[in-house]
Amino acid sequence: MKRILSIILAVAILATTAAVFASCGGNADTSSKTESGEGAKELHMATNAFFEPYEFYEDKKVVGIDPEIAQAICDKLGYKLVIDDMDFDAIIISVTSGKADFGMAGMTVTEDRLKSVDFTDSYATSTQVIIVPEENSKVANAKDLEKASIGVQLGTTGDIYVSDFKEAKIERYKKGADAVLALTKGKVDAVVIDSEPAKKFVEANDGIKILDEPFTEEEYAICLAKDSELTEKINGALKELKEDGTVKKIIDKYIGD
Ligand code: ARG
């Protein structure tokens, strides 16, 4: 009897421990280590970490061009970087509400976004490209897109641009990868997304390709709450990191030339 009781007790303890771990496990350990010492003030970076090579998970940690540039900025300014991963369309709200100190997510500077946030100087350029099936694609160029069914990531510039096409059918997904999955399953005719993530998707999936004709030219920058005191500081650090070649080195590490 005693033995049975202790088994029950042991199982109960194990179950509670497992539950405690499970409740922590929902959030990956995305806080990155800092060189700025103990007790440094934190800067929270809002991002959407399904956007390789700019931000993506590697061993439960968010890595990529943006986290590395952000880390270099924080090291310069003496902050501890904390990465908050969320849906892309939550980033600006998180910044304007003060939950995050800045947003960095391969985010394009647009007139519309400038109405609600400030942007730093740009640290990278990009284009939107069109991904289509390798064989029998209904879409051969940007013109065809206007009447096609198109997959995009919700709230991105890809979404914004194609939303002008009155005769197109737009399918909006939480992740770019979900839009690409829909394309590989024939649920949409094309996907419009940023060029570098597009290359990663095409590498990872058979039977799809990028059309030669790029769609737009864009500048990536860091967004902050309007009139934030941090903007000038981050811009200063970014300028130094561009001038001493750090930004280029980080970009080359992930993209090459
Ligand atoms: N450049 C595009 C935009 O600003 C897409 C960015 C998506 N980024 C991400 N981390 N999911 O709208």
Side-chain angles (χ1 to χ4, degrees):
M1 184 64 184
K2 214 170 158 201
R3 196 179 149 79
I4 294 175
L5 266 183
S6 55
I7 290 173
I8 293 174
L9 194 68
V11 169
I13 290 171
L14 270 180
T16 331
T17 324
V20 168
F21 272 103
S23 68
C24 302
N27 278 330
D29 173 21
T30 52
S31 63
S32 60
K33 73 172 191 329
T34 175
E35 275 145 43
S36 312
E38 284 301 299
K41 276 218 305 220
E42 292 180 345
L43 277 192
H44 282 252
M45 160 174 154
T47 196
N48 171 252
F50 295 91
F51 203 63
E52 192 178 349
Y54 293 95
E55 42 269 322
F56 57 102
Y57 280 89
E58 216 172 67
D59 302 330
K60 293 193 173 175
K61 195 173 184 291
V62 178
V63 297
I65 294 171
D66 291 344
E68 284 205 28
I69 295 178
Q71 183 64 63
I73 291 172
C74 285
D75 287 345
K76 263 196 188 297
L77 301 177
Y79 287 103
K80 177 183 184 329
L81 175 67
V82 181
I83 296 177
D84 299 337
D85 183 21
M86 61 191 72
D87 288 339
F88 183 76
D89 64 335
I91 296 174
I92 290 196
I93 306 160
S94 169
V95 167
T96 54
S97 68
K99 271 198 195 154
D101 299 290
F102 64 94
M104 192 170 188
M107 189 181 274
T108 307
V109 182
T110 70
E111 287 302 318
D112 204 48
R113 290 174 183 162
L114 278 165
K115 290 180 195 153
S116 43
V117 286
D118 285 343
F119 278 98
T120 61
D121 298 333
S122 152
Y123 62 88
T125 54
S126 170
T127 56
Q128 294 291 310
V129 297
I130 305 166
I131 312 179
V132 296
E134 229 159 14
E135 315 258 314
N136 303 321
S137 172
K138 287 188 199 154
V139 176
N141 50 47
K143 187 88 191 117
D144 294 343
L145 209 54
E146 293 177 19
K147 291 184 179 169
S149 74
I150 312 165
V152 292
Q153 185 181 15
L154 178 70
T156 59
T157 42
D159 181 2
I160 298 163
Y161 295 134
V162 303
S163 294
D164 283 345
F165 302 154
K166 296 287 166 283
E167 289 168 74
K169 185 167 182 293
I170 318 298
E171 303 287 352
R172 299 178 173 84
Y173 300 89
K174 287 264 181 206
K175 294 178 192 161
D178 295 338
V180 172
L181 187 68
L183 178 68
T184 60
K185 294 203 163 150
K187 289 186 184 156
V188 294
D189 303 325
V191 167
V192 173
I193 198 157
D194 302 49
S195 47
E196 292 305 327
K199 288 182 200 161
K200 295 285 177 195
F201 288 133
V202 169
E203 258 169 49
N205 292 277
D206 285 337
I208 54 173
K209 64 172 185 192
I210 298 172
L211 290 183
D212 286 338
E213 179 180 359
F215 203 44
T216 55
E217 300 279 329
E218 314 192 337
E219 299 277 346
Y220 289 169
I222 300 169
C223 73
L224 293 105
K226 281 224 161 288
D227 302 318
S228 162
E229 288 169 9
L230 261 178
T231 309
E232 209 186 304
K233 289 191 197 163
I234 292 188
N235 255 337
L238 189 60
K239 188 163 181 278
E240 286 174 24
L241 292 165
K242 283 203 269 188
E243 281 170 3
D244 73 6
T246 307
V247 167
K248 184 174 182 315
K249 212 165 103 194
I250 294 170
I251 293 177
D252 286 352
K253 172 175 162 192
Y254 287 92
I255 296 180
D257 15 48

